[in-house]
Amino acid sequence: MRIYSPAPPAGPLHALNLQLEAAAKGWPSLPPLETVAIALPESINGITESAADRSRHLPIVTTADFRPARLGSGPAWHAYDRPSPDLKFVAALYEVGFGIQLRPGLGTEPEALRGKRIAAPPRPSAVRLLTEVLLRDGWNMLDDVEIVDATPQGALAAFKASEVDALSWNLALPGAAHFVPMLPADGAYLAVGEAALARINAANDFTLALVPCLSGAPPLLSFAQALAAWDSTDEELVTELLACLAARGSNYAGLPHSVDAMVRWPGLTADNVHAAALRFYTVRGLTNA
């Protein structure tokens, strides 16, 4: 059984995704899990094209990718090449905050970004997708900034050397009520307000939410991660995975610490949820979906 992690293999998000494999180790009725790092949308496109039995290939999806994957949508450089309505939600894993960080002294409001250079991962990248969505749909300034392609390490070096004015990246929120910055916080993350969020959701095939940041810091876009499966995935297997998460999740930073956290996903409806997962949550009185 393969789990497809969309994070870079050496990064902290992939390390969080590996904890799913660790939690399942030795769980009765679960086969051995192998976690493979493959970016979205490549992982889902590859599964739908070539997997003889995709029921044993379970992707981890993000809030910006789950619905586009089901619809077969997305920009040309981050597109799902065919609809996959049989891709279904199983369980939310952890939440990630996404935002744009501005060098100290340049301002504290999004308008301060106009005319500035922003370091962001090159296309294709889910982080780059959110960067462009926030700048274009949320703040109406994509044409008024310069996006500089950079890896996280290169972005940080350019940021510290004042070669760029801002950078976009993630802060991981692994279950506990605190963030683990993926890049040092030399500067202020710019607040993403409810109005910007509404514009983003109205303009795209996904539903994002806001997530609180560090104490006293502004809210950021939520870029949550979830385990998904297919209609053809064995229902007993899905049930056992959920039981394992419910029993062992609190032992791992990158897994949900309660069953109600497992079903916390913006825009979730019953037809998006795997049949076995829907039963699992319904009998526990969790009707978010």
Side-chain angles (χ1 to χ4, degrees), residues 4-17:
Y4 291 89
S5 165
L13 292 188
H14 184 65
L16 294 180
N17 293 336

Side-chain angles (χ1 to χ4, degrees), residues 44-55:
I44 290 177
N45 287 342
I47 292 170
T48 58
E49 288 175 4
S50 61
D53 179 13
R54 62 178 172 180
S55 66

Side-chain angles (χ1 to χ4, degrees), residues 8-30:
L13 292 188
H14 184 65
L16 294 180
N17 293 336
L18 287 172
Q19 293 180 347
L20 180 59
E21 177 183 325
K25 190 173 183 179
W27 185 263
S29 304
L30 279 182

Side-chain angles (χ1 to χ4, degrees), residues 7-8 11-14 16 94 96-97 101 127 152-153 156 167 169-173 179-185 189:
L13 292 188
H14 184 65
L16 294 180
Y94 55 89
V96 176
Q101 193 175 13
V127 173
Q153 295 78 12
L156 181 57
L167 53 83
W169 203 246
N170 298 329
L171 297 99
L173 177 60
F179 279 98
V180 178
M182 293 179 68
L183 294 173
Y189 277 89

Side-chain angles (χ1 to χ4, degrees), residues 89 91-92 258-265 268 273 281 286-289:
F89 173 92
S258 64
V259 178
D260 65 320
M262 292 164 58
V263 75
R264 198 175 299 144
W265 190 259
L268 193 64
V273 183
Y281 296 124
L286 298 172
T287 56
N288 305 52

